[in-house]
Amino acid sequence: MNDIRIAIIGLGYVGLPLAVEFGRKLPVVGFDINLQRINELRSGKDHTLETSPDDLAAAHHLTYTTNIEDLKTCNYFIVTVPTPIDKYKRPDLTPLIKASETVGKALKVGDIVIYESTVYPGATEEECVPVLEKFSGLKYNTDFYCGYSPERINPGDKVHTVTKILKVTSGSTPEVAKKVDDLYKQIIVAGTHLASSIKVAEAAKVIENSQRDINIAFVNELALIFNKLDIDTHEVLKAAGTKWNFLPFSPGLVGGHCIGVDPYYLTHKAQEVGYNPEIILAGRRLNDNMGFYAASRTIKLMIQKGHTIAGSKVLVLGITFKENCPDIRNSRVIDVIAELQDFGCEVEVFDPWADAKEVKHEYGVDLINELSFNHQYAGIVFAVAHNEFRELDLASLKGPNTVIFDIKGVVSKDMVDGRL
């Protein structure tokens, strides 16, 4: 293992922490097509906050580049690019294919390419390998080999970091699988699980988040039912949670780069082979509608308090996809905002974690720089459970007739007009 030289393709939430950990021990080239990102990392900063300046400084063997030529000295290539869905909820493999083209141009005899991006079972060998063969002129499992080791990064989580989460590994031959497993064992202190095949590892990843999505859909549906029964969902879940084997899920918006996306990769493949998935897609439909439901509940409560909806000011607190994290990818808070605007509300959005330029580019929403305590809001929606919002002086922020709707259970029950 002494001759290992690793290339990490894609330096986002997944790739950078991985590159940093490998870079403490082994020569690593971090590659990204975004020159601004490369320059940021070279200056010792990471705007995603997944790594600290001290972490970056400790990765003594890590260098950064946008130049494909710098990859040609490497013999292990780890692809960590995003795998989104398009507007029709279909897998968009464009980043994965482009990354495979890049790797193919640098591939040599004996090299190993490992994919970490979430895909449907079979995608590595059916979609990526032909691209590698085309751009390298080499033959799969004769000249070069592949592995699959799904990412398990949890953005914003400083406890379950990359080295502390057990890693699933796999390879295109038994010998390569062992090499891939041994590679990750050098940094993963939580241990590894060597899957029997690349397809098994791909399937394991895609069902992890599908399972979570379905469980959240269940409690979201409970929230819809209990609202009609005038029962507090959170109190019901607290009571049910006293049973030792009750699973602790909460209602809310389901976004981000994993839970709100990965199930569509599985359903796409299922439909391709002639099976129409029912439970998975039903869960997806329900979760995708929760933002519109939260907005309509807020509007009804405003009407009950005598507000004229058109022109009313509503404050939405939070636009990142989860708490205490700057990641805005696939945030479903935008559904809340859009629905409130469709009703004619004047919506202001405040989020101390989000980058205003990114939010404007991604969603066309202008963030306000600071909160106004002049009691101007007809409604306030707590959309993300940032610590800063838990500590807000709500009595100073709201007016005497302001509607408070709490999506995430941030505010005490006696201070809100409604919550999921």
Side-chain angles (χ1 to χ4, degrees):
M1 300 290 282
N2 294 329
D3 62 342
I4 292 175
R5 298 177 306 283
I6 302 171
I8 307 286
I9 313 300
L11 297 175
Y13 283 85
V14 175
L16 181 62
L18 191 68
V20 166
E21 292 304 325
F22 274 126
R24 296 174 187 266
K25 297 183 176 184
L26 298 165
V28 177
V29 177
F31 177 90
D32 201 288
I33 59 173
N34 186 340
L35 181 58
Q36 182 178 342
R37 175 64 165 162
I38 293 297
N39 289 335
E40 172 191 70
L41 296 174
R42 284 173 176 166
S43 71
K45 299 176 182 177
D46 171 23
H47 77 273
T48 71
L49 306 181
E50 290 303 299
T51 59
S52 68
D54 288 343
D55 293 329
L56 295 174
H60 301 294
H61 306 291
L62 172 59
T63 59
Y64 308 100
T65 189
T66 59
N67 189 347
I68 293 177
E69 292 298 314
D70 294 332
L71 303 178
K72 292 184 177 180
T73 61
C74 300
N75 50 15
Y76 281 78
F77 298 84
I78 303 179
V79 178
T80 60
V81 296
T83 43
I85 53 175
D86 64 19
K87 63 180 180 180
Y88 302 109
K89 311 294 188 185
R90 297 176 306 197
D92 179 4
L93 297 180
T94 303
L96 199 63
I97 298 303
K98 292 295 184 183
S100 298
E101 292 176 5
T102 296
V103 172
K105 293 173 183 177
L107 210 54
K108 306 175 301 301
V109 173
D111 289 352
I112 296 175
V113 185
I114 305 166
Y115 289 89
E116 289 212 1
S117 306
T118 301
V119 292
Y120 50 78
T124 297
E125 292 173 294
E126 295 166 10
E127 305 291 343
C128 300
V129 165
V131 176
L132 294 173
E133 289 184 322
K134 176 182 176 181
F135 282 83
S136 67
L138 302 176
K139 186 172 177 59
Y140 177 53
N141 274 349
T142 299
D143 300 320
F144 73 92
Y145 306 87
C146 283
Y148 184 79
S149 181
E151 58 91 0
R152 280 177 167 170
I153 291 293
N154 187 24
D157 190 337
K158 301 307 178 186
V159 176
H160 303 97
T161 52
V162 61
T163 64
K164 299 173 185 175
I165 303 173
L166 195 142
K167 201 86 163 72
V168 173
T169 64
S170 65
S172 55
T173 70
E175 295 77 20
V176 169
K178 179 67 164 54
K179 286 184 177 182
V180 171
D181 195 60
D182 287 343
L183 178 69
Y184 281 104
K185 279 181 177 176
Q186 294 199 47
I187 63 167
I188 306 297
V189 297
T192 61
H193 173 87
L194 181 54
S196 60
S197 69
I198 287 176
K199 279 188 177 181
V200 167
E202 290 169 327
K205 169 57 183 176
V206 81
I207 72 165
E208 290 174 14
N209 289 318
S210 297
Q211 181 188 68
R212 185 166 174 80
D213 192 43
I214 291 167
N215 279 316
I216 297 172
F218 171 63
V219 294
N220 274 338
E221 188 163 58
L222 293 180
L224 303 181
I225 296 169
F226 292 147
N227 173 55
K228 291 183 176 294
L229 297 175
D230 197 25
I231 301 172
D232 188 284
T233 306
H234 291 269
E235 292 184 1
V236 174
L237 293 173
K238 184 178 180 180
T242 58
K243 190 175 184 217
W244 76 92
N245 61 351
F246 186 82
L247 300 178
F249 288 90
S250 300
L253 307 178
V254 183
H257 67 298
C258 286
I259 301 177
V261 172
D262 294 357
Y264 289 118
Y265 275 74
L266 182 57
T267 58
H268 166 82
K269 191 63 178 179
Q271 290 167 333
E272 191 177 78
V273 295
Y275 180 79
N276 187 45
E278 298 183 26
I279 294 175
I280 300 171
L281 286 176
R284 278 283 72 237
R285 285 192 294 271
L286 199 149
N287 284 341
D288 275 348
N289 281 319
M290 291 308 291
F292 303 108
Y293 171 75
S296 64
R297 282 276 310 278
T298 303
I299 293 296
K300 288 178 181 178
L301 290 167
M302 289 168 61
I303 292 171
Q304 290 170 11
K305 282 199 172 184
H307 290 286
T308 299
I309 301 305
S312 289
K313 278 196 170 186
V314 178
L315 173 66
V316 174
L317 293 170
I319 196 169
T320 61
F321 92 87
K322 65 179 293 188
E323 66 275 6
N324 306 321
C325 170
D327 195 346
I328 64 168
R329 290 175 295 173
N330 193 37
S331 171
R332 297 332 309 161
V333 179
I334 192 61
D335 298 335
V336 180
I337 297 168
E339 187 74 352
L340 290 171
Q341 290 174 334
D342 282 350
F343 274 103
C345 295
E346 183 181 330
V347 181
E348 292 186 353
V349 184
F350 177 71
D351 194 319
W353 282 85
D355 181 274
K357 290 182 180 179
E358 285 188 12
V359 172
K360 180 66 174 179
H361 178 266
E362 186 71 20
Y363 300 114
V365 171
D366 292 304
L367 298 184
I368 59 174
N369 296 322
E370 58 183 19
L371 293 174
S372 173
F373 291 87
N374 60 3
H375 312 303
Q376 63 178 316
Y377 298 113
I380 299 175
V381 178
F382 283 80
V384 185
H386 292 318
N387 289 342
E388 290 87 343
F389 298 157
R390 296 182 183 275
E391 299 165 1
L392 271 179
D393 182 2
L394 189 55
S396 299
L397 184 63
K398 67 189 288 287
N401 212 28
T402 301
V403 166
I404 307 296
F405 191 83
D406 187 7
I407 293 175
K408 291 293 292 182
V410 175
V411 186
S412 61
K413 183 183 176 183
D414 61 329
M415 292 289 286
V416 303
D417 297 280
R419 59 180 180 174
L420 289 186

